Amino acid sequence: MPRHLPPLMLLCLATQLAAQENWVFIDNGHVRLGVNLAAGACVGWFSRSGSDKNLLNSYDEGRYLQQSYYGDKDGSDWNGKPWRFNPVQGGSWKGLKAILLEQKTEKQSIHTETRPRHWATGAEISEMTMEQRISLDGDLALLRFKMGYTGAKEHKPTHQELPALFVQPEYDTLVFCEAGKPAWQGASLTKKQPGFPNESVKFSEPWCAWVNGDGQGVGLYFPHTTEATCYRFRGGGKSDCSYIAPIQTF
């Protein structure tokens, strides 16, 4: 755990769940994690054990803690916006669900494999599979993602979300250690409330956390990169959220 942080549940990533969704949960007495099998087995629930207050925001198929990749522009259209090749683990923006190929749940672990859908068109991406392995360890949820691609087209390098994390809007303050001197050498933590649209942040330590006014919240540990994109959306409804995604270009 990074020093100087308030007690946090960490993802190493309060509404009633709809009856038509197909949730599977694992709980180790510290934290509770749920995946929606009806939406590509995406992670859409993370809370303290026994709590009905979900820290994550899963407003639509794009809001889960999940894999989502970007390729070249392909003439597709997302709600009036020119879009690109964009396989999403949860499904499409119009609510078409991804296809669950395999699922195995044990007491404190979940393994799934999913065929994603194109976010804009809703088409099945037959040349791609998305695998995830999830386990719990104390207050940690350990997520391992793997993408397999057998397509013939080689897409140009672009920013990839690894992964996208959406939390409830009351977790409005992003806490992290900015690029430069790390916290373990005595540097102060940075606390900010990003605006909309996206802002870029760079880190000297590979973690961040969204916290509320009491300093409680959820953290994300990402040893694979030192930068992220983030925003807070405030429209006054259920779609309000706080977002961050560690990014790499490939």
Side-chain angles (χ1 to χ4, degrees):
M1 285 285 291
R3 295 194 304 169
H4 315 301
L5 273 175
L8 291 169
M9 294 180 294
L10 233 83
L11 280 167
C12 261
L13 147 262
T15 56
Q16 187 69 29
L17 297 178
Q20 69 270 23
E21 295 177 339
N22 185 7
W23 290 85
V24 169
F25 292 92
I26 51 176
D27 191 319
N28 66 353
H30 296 275
V31 293
R32 184 182 190 221
L33 181 146
V35 302
N36 184 5
L37 300 183
C42 290
V43 177
W45 184 282
F46 192 58
S47 68
R48 296 197 181 279
S49 178
S51 173
D52 63 356
K53 184 173 178 59
N54 184 15
L55 277 72
L56 303 186
N57 181 295
S58 53
Y59 174 73
D60 60 26
E61 280 67 28
R63 286 283 182 90
Y64 290 91
L65 176 62
Q66 64 179 323
Q67 297 183 73
S68 170
Y69 299 98
Y70 298 91
D72 294 347
K73 293 182 179 180
D74 59 4
S76 61
D77 178 279
W78 169 30
N79 198 22
K81 302 175 184 177
W83 210 240
R84 59 182 61 238
F85 183 69
N86 183 198
V88 174
Q89 183 182 346
S92 77
W93 77 279
K94 289 187 175 181
L96 288 173
K97 311 294 187 183
I99 296 91
L100 183 64
L101 302 174
E102 182 180 339
Q103 182 256 331
K104 182 180 180 181
T105 302
E106 297 181 344
K107 187 175 181 180
Q108 292 183 19
S109 67
I110 301 174
H111 172 226
T112 62
E113 192 169 308
T114 299
R115 178 175 295 125
R117 286 192 183 270
H118 193 300
W119 175 247
T121 69
E124 292 184 30
I125 308 295
S126 59
E127 66 269 33
M128 185 177 287
T129 57
M130 294 181 179
E131 183 180 357
Q132 65 180 9
R133 295 179 181 272
I134 304 167
S135 59
L136 302 180
D137 182 6
D139 286 347
L140 304 177
L142 307 175
L143 288 82
R144 298 172 177 86
F145 293 127
K146 180 180 180 180
M147 180 267 282
Y149 176 69
T150 59
K153 178 175 175 55
E154 183 174 334
H155 294 264
K156 297 181 182 67
T158 191
H159 281 171
Q160 309 292 352
E161 301 170 301
L162 302 175
L165 170 66
F166 296 86
V167 301
Q168 302 292 4
E170 59 263 36
Y171 302 98
D172 58 0
T173 301
L174 185 64
V175 182
F176 62 99
C177 193
E178 280 189 283
K181 189 176 180 181
W184 63 269
Q185 291 184 354
S188 299
L189 296 179
T190 297
K191 298 180 180 180
K192 69 180 302 183
Q193 294 183 325
F196 188 86
N198 297 57
E199 295 184 20
S200 295
V201 290
K202 292 183 180 294
F203 308 96
S204 61
E205 297 181 357
W207 64 270
C208 66
W210 283 110
V211 300
N212 60 16
D214 295 326
Q216 302 294 307
V218 58
L220 190 66
Y221 173 67
F222 39 89
H224 50 279
T225 187
T226 58
E227 60 181 321
T229 183
C230 61
Y231 64 70
R232 291 195 66 238
F233 179 75
R234 288 166 286 181
K238 291 183 179 180
S239 62
D240 288 6
C241 68
S242 298
Y243 155 87
I244 191 164
I247 56 174
Q248 281 184 304
T249 300
F250 60 79

